[in-house]
Amino acid sequence: MSFKTELFINGKYVPSSSGETLSIQSPNDDSLVTDKIQVAGEADVDNAVKAAKAAFPAWKATAGHKRAAIMNKFADLLEKNTDKLAQLESAAMGQPVSVSKRMIAGPIALWRYYAGYAGKVAGESYPPDEDGTYKIVQYEPLGVCAGICAWNGSHVLAAWKMAPAMAAGNTFILKSSEKSPISLAQYGELVNEAGFPPGVINVLTGAGTTGSLLASHMDIAKIAFTGSAAAGRAVQIAAAKSNLKRVTLELGGKSPGIIFEDADIPNAVFHSSDSFLRNSGQICFAASRVLVQESIAPEFIKQVKLAFEHAADAMGDPSLAETKFGPLADKKQFDRVMGFLEDAKKEGIEIGAGGGRKGDKGTYVQPTVLINPGLDSKVYTQEIFGPVISVRTFKDEEEAIKLANDTTYGLGSTVYTSDIARALRVAGQIEAGTVGINSAFNTSPQTPFGGWKSSGYGRESGIEGIKNYTQPKTIHINMTLPAKK
């Protein structure tokens, strides 16, 4: 299958100014996928910013219904090209094609959702009252915006960043992850076919150095970042040291799943296994700290261990339609997860299922269940980002909430109970940006997504998502001047 490997700047595919390239190895069998991915350097970033800056006035002035038509056409093209885009994502980072297709379907809906907002970002007005001043508040686009994607859900993260920016009238520079750049590199052809004017959307590839150039650029008004907490802090610092550009950060989590004794156990097991493992555990809001009430813990642990063992049997070549679970994204991620498992063994933590490598090729890790790790152990406190859950028990609701909130993160959470009053009561006390009740949390175009505490700030998706790409302007009109005769 042929595919684009160049940078997309000002409506054209161009090589990197430095000639630097990235190589992508298959997580399935270690084979070379490509060694021709172009890396954006300083000159390339500057060119993309110049193109976006030049395109901004006309795109801002484009009628809302025309922007909406282009955005809907882009969504149609994503739908038309789903198979190819899914295969390329799978080849780069090992995501099963069946999962990749679902992770493109969501963005298609999101582009259409935000197309509905184009031209509908309303302002406000307030009467003069006693002060004699008529007041207007209007919401305007920020200008040139940028987004940096993580590798675990390229199309979802790209849509969260670009679609609301487009609807609000901004122009954009998207940087894909160096682990999964191939699929997003194809966007240039779709951008042109959809009818976006040159410079409105630009797509770059590169590692942290390219991201740093975007975060520190003086002509970028806002940057949205998804990735690790350490990299997010670096983005925030660079933004502050440059032009104080706006920043949205989504930095991962160590999310709790609370399972009460009146929960539907098969349902809780399914979402703690199949749902958790659907991207090999590489989901930022996945509930990796499973807290189970003591009275049902033995039965739950028995069932979840069996589910993880069955999941291991369902792991395989991610390019095959029947594959449910695939490898980790690359060798670096594989080594990281295996390092956590080695630490768990050294600490004497009970391994209920898995705990090692699967196969002799690729980056496959056995789905692993850790039983009652210490509250201060690395596997319990740090984000593993792999197919590993930790199971601990609790006595009552008060202890469950305490354990759930005992983390520096605050992105996702889940609650399993047949008592809806308790579900809502507990949800109200969990320190996290999202809560799923009786299900693993699923994102929606209509609702905001983001975290508390070290999981970042700002929101993507929903009406909050488009607010992050506008700025208010207040206009006061003195209504007390007498008319000239």
mmCIF file of all heavy atoms in Angstrom, residues 466-484:
data_model
loop_
_atom_site.group_PDB
_atom_site.id
_atom_site.type_symbol
_atom_site.label_atom_id
_atom_site.label_comp_id
_atom_site.label_asym_id
_atom_site.label_seq_id
_atom_site.Cartn_x
_atom_site.Cartn_y
_atom_site.Cartn_z
ATOM 1 N N ILE A 466 -15.166 23.886 22.037
ATOM 2 C CA ILE A 466 -15.112 25.041 21.145
ATOM 3 C C ILE A 466 -14.835 26.330 21.918
ATOM 4 O O ILE A 466 -14.219 27.254 21.405
ATOM 5 C CB ILE A 466 -16.397 25.149 20.287
ATOM 6 C CG1 ILE A 466 -16.138 26.042 19.069
ATOM 7 C CG2 ILE A 466 -17.581 25.652 21.103
ATOM 8 C CD1 ILE A 466 -17.232 25.952 18.021
ATOM 9 N N LYS A 467 -15.267 26.392 23.178
ATOM 10 C CA LYS A 467 -14.955 27.571 23.990
ATOM 11 C C LYS A 467 -13.456 27.767 24.134
ATOM 12 O O LYS A 467 -12.971 28.892 24.239
ATOM 13 C CB LYS A 467 -15.588 27.436 25.379
ATOM 14 C CG LYS A 467 -17.097 27.618 25.421
ATOM 15 C CD LYS A 467 -17.621 27.475 26.842
ATOM 16 C CE LYS A 467 -19.124 27.647 26.923
ATOM 17 N NZ LYS A 467 -19.619 27.455 28.308
ATOM 18 N N ASN A 468 -12.706 26.667 24.149
ATOM 19 C CA ASN A 468 -11.254 26.748 24.292
ATOM 20 C C ASN A 468 -10.571 27.321 23.062
ATOM 21 O O ASN A 468 -9.361 27.566 23.092
ATOM 22 C CB ASN A 468 -10.683 25.357 24.606
ATOM 23 C CG ASN A 468 -10.785 25.006 26.077
ATOM 24 O OD1 ASN A 468 -10.205 25.681 26.912
ATOM 25 N ND2 ASN A 468 -11.524 23.960 26.378
ATOM 26 N N TYR A 469 -11.316 27.499 21.963
ATOM 27 C CA TYR A 469 -10.738 28.070 20.748
ATOM 28 C C TYR A 469 -11.337 29.433 20.411
ATOM 29 O O TYR A 469 -11.263 29.887 19.277
ATOM 30 C CB TYR A 469 -10.913 27.097 19.581
ATOM 31 C CG TYR A 469 -9.980 25.919 19.697
ATOM 32 C CD1 TYR A 469 -10.408 24.716 20.247
ATOM 33 C CD2 TYR A 469 -8.645 26.016 19.287
ATOM 34 C CE1 TYR A 469 -9.543 23.643 20.381
ATOM 35 C CE2 TYR A 469 -7.773 24.954 19.415
ATOM 36 C CZ TYR A 469 -8.232 23.767 19.963
ATOM 37 O OH TYR A 469 -7.354 22.706 20.096
ATOM 38 N N THR A 470 -11.937 30.068 21.408
ATOM 39 C CA THR A 470 -12.450 31.425 21.224
ATOM 40 C C THR A 470 -11.973 32.316 22.369
ATOM 41 O O THR A 470 -11.573 31.825 23.431
ATOM 42 C CB THR A 470 -13.986 31.456 21.199
ATOM 43 O OG1 THR A 470 -14.491 31.041 22.479
ATOM 44 C CG2 THR A 470 -14.542 30.563 20.116
ATOM 45 N N GLN A 471 -12.017 33.625 22.152
ATOM 46 C CA GLN A 471 -11.695 34.582 23.203
ATOM 47 C C GLN A 471 -12.757 35.683 23.211
ATOM 48 O O GLN A 471 -13.207 36.130 22.154
ATOM 49 C CB GLN A 471 -10.308 35.177 23.002
ATOM 50 C CG GLN A 471 -10.060 35.820 21.650
ATOM 51 C CD GLN A 471 -8.604 36.170 21.449
ATOM 52 O OE1 GLN A 471 -7.844 36.234 22.395
ATOM 53 N NE2 GLN A 471 -8.207 36.396 20.205
ATOM 54 N N PRO A 472 -13.185 36.104 24.391
ATOM 55 C CA PRO A 472 -14.230 37.128 24.463
ATOM 56 C C PRO A 472 -13.682 38.532 24.224
ATOM 57 O O PRO A 472 -12.556 38.853 24.624
ATOM 58 C CB PRO A 472 -14.758 36.975 25.892
ATOM 59 C CG PRO A 472 -13.591 36.438 26.664
ATOM 60 C CD PRO A 472 -12.817 35.586 25.723
ATOM 61 N N LYS A 473 -14.455 39.326 23.560
ATOM 62 C CA LYS A 473 -14.146 40.755 23.402
ATOM 63 C C LYS A 473 -15.343 41.547 23.913
ATOM 64 O O LYS A 473 -16.482 41.317 23.477
ATOM 65 C CB LYS A 473 -13.870 41.103 21.945
ATOM 66 C CG LYS A 473 -13.605 42.605 21.722
ATOM 67 C CD LYS A 473 -13.372 42.897 20.249
ATOM 68 C CE LYS A 473 -12.012 42.384 19.818
ATOM 69 N NZ LYS A 473 -11.740 42.702 18.397
ATOM 70 N N THR A 474 -15.112 42.461 24.841
ATOM 71 C CA THR A 474 -16.175 43.274 25.422
ATOM 72 C C THR A 474 -16.187 44.662 24.784
ATOM 73 O O THR A 474 -15.149 45.330 24.709
ATOM 74 C CB THR A 474 -15.983 43.414 26.939
ATOM 75 O OG1 THR A 474 -16.020 42.114 27.531
ATOM 76 C CG2 THR A 474 -17.072 44.273 27.554
ATOM 77 N N ILE A 475 -17.357 45.081 24.316
ATOM 78 C CA ILE A 475 -17.517 46.394 23.673
ATOM 79 C C ILE A 475 -18.584 47.175 24.443
ATOM 80 O O ILE A 475 -19.712 46.695 24.620
ATOM 81 C CB ILE A 475 -17.939 46.223 22.198
ATOM 82 C CG1 ILE A 475 -16.885 45.401 21.437
ATOM 83 C CG2 ILE A 475 -18.140 47.584 21.541
ATOM 84 C CD1 ILE A 475 -17.323 44.992 20.046
ATOM 85 N N HIS A 476 -18.237 48.371 24.915
ATOM 86 C CA HIS A 476 -19.177 49.244 25.627
ATOM 87 C C HIS A 476 -19.493 50.470 24.762
ATOM 88 O O HIS A 476 -18.576 51.114 24.247
ATOM 89 C CB HIS A 476 -18.588 49.701 26.961
ATOM 90 C CG HIS A 476 -18.563 48.631 27.996
ATOM 91 N ND1 HIS A 476 -18.126 48.842 29.286
ATOM 92 C CD2 HIS A 476 -18.948 47.329 27.951
ATOM 93 C CE1 HIS A 476 -18.221 47.719 29.976
ATOM 94 N NE2 HIS A 476 -18.711 46.794 29.182
ATOM 95 N N ILE A 477 -20.755 50.758 24.634
ATOM 96 C CA ILE A 477 -21.200 51.883 23.817
ATOM 97 C C ILE A 477 -21.893 52.907 24.713
ATOM 98 O O ILE A 477 -22.875 52.587 25.395
ATOM 99 C CB ILE A 477 -22.172 51.430 22.711
ATOM 100 C CG1 ILE A 477 -21.526 50.324 21.865
ATOM 101 C CG2 ILE A 477 -22.591 52.605 21.833
ATOM 102 C CD1 ILE A 477 -22.505 49.632 20.945
ATOM 103 N N ASN A 478 -21.397 54.124 24.715
ATOM 104 C CA ASN A 478 -22.011 55.206 25.477
ATOM 105 C C ASN A 478 -23.286 55.647 24.771
ATOM 106 O O ASN A 478 -23.238 56.183 23.669
ATOM 107 C CB ASN A 478 -21.019 56.367 25.605
ATOM 108 C CG ASN A 478 -21.589 57.520 26.417
ATOM 109 O OD1 ASN A 478 -22.701 57.451 26.934
ATOM 110 N ND2 ASN A 478 -20.826 58.597 26.522
ATOM 111 N N MET A 479 -24.423 55.430 25.444
ATOM 112 C CA MET A 479 -25.713 55.740 24.834
ATOM 113 C C MET A 479 -26.272 57.106 25.291
ATOM 114 O O MET A 479 -27.393 57.433 24.941
ATOM 115 C CB MET A 479 -26.717 54.652 25.200
ATOM 116 C CG MET A 479 -26.279 53.248 24.823
ATOM 117 S SD MET A 479 -26.254 52.979 23.045
ATOM 118 C CE MET A 479 -28.010 52.902 22.699
ATOM 119 N N THR A 480 -25.474 57.878 26.028
ATOM 120 C CA THR A 480 -26.008 59.123 26.619
ATOM 121 C C THR A 480 -25.697 60.364 25.790
ATOM 122 O O THR A 480 -26.135 61.448 26.144
ATOM 123 C CB THR A 480 -25.430 59.325 28.029
ATOM 124 O OG1 THR A 480 -24.007 59.475 27.956
ATOM 125 C CG2 THR A 480 -25.766 58.132 28.927
ATOM 126 N N LEU A 481 -24.892 60.194 24.715
ATOM 127 C CA LEU A 481 -24.565 61.373 23.909
ATOM 128 C C LEU A 481 -25.822 61.885 23.198
ATOM 129 O O LEU A 481 -26.573 61.086 22.613
ATOM 130 C CB LEU A 481 -23.505 61.043 22.860
ATOM 131 C CG LEU A 481 -22.091 60.768 23.381
ATOM 132 C CD1 LEU A 481 -21.180 60.387 22.221
ATOM 133 C CD2 LEU A 481 -21.540 61.987 24.116
ATOM 134 N N PRO A 482 -26.050 63.173 23.221
ATOM 135 C CA PRO A 482 -27.205 63.723 22.508
ATOM 136 C C PRO A 482 -26.975 63.669 21.004
ATOM 137 O O PRO A 482 -25.837 63.736 20.533
ATOM 138 C CB PRO A 482 -27.290 65.161 23.000
ATOM 139 C CG PRO A 482 -25.870 65.496 23.391
ATOM 140 C CD PRO A 482 -25.284 64.235 23.936
ATOM 141 N N ALA A 483 -28.036 63.545 20.257
ATOM 142 C CA ALA A 483 -27.930 63.505 18.796
ATOM 143 C C ALA A 483 -27.515 64.871 18.276
ATOM 144 O O ALA A 483 -27.958 65.917 18.785
ATOM 145 C CB ALA A 483 -29.240 63.084 18.205
ATOM 146 N N LYS A 484 -26.642 64.886 17.273
ATOM 147 C CA LYS A 484 -26.243 66.147 16.655
ATOM 148 C C LYS A 484 -27.356 66.676 15.783
ATOM 149 O O LYS A 484 -28.041 65.933 15.087
ATOM 150 C CB LYS A 484 -24.981 65.922 15.821
ATOM 151 C CG LYS A 484 -23.715 65.793 16.647
ATOM 152 C CD LYS A 484 -22.476 65.802 15.753
ATOM 153 C CE LYS A 484 -21.216 65.746 16.591
ATOM 154 N NZ LYS A 484 -20.004 65.807 15.728
#
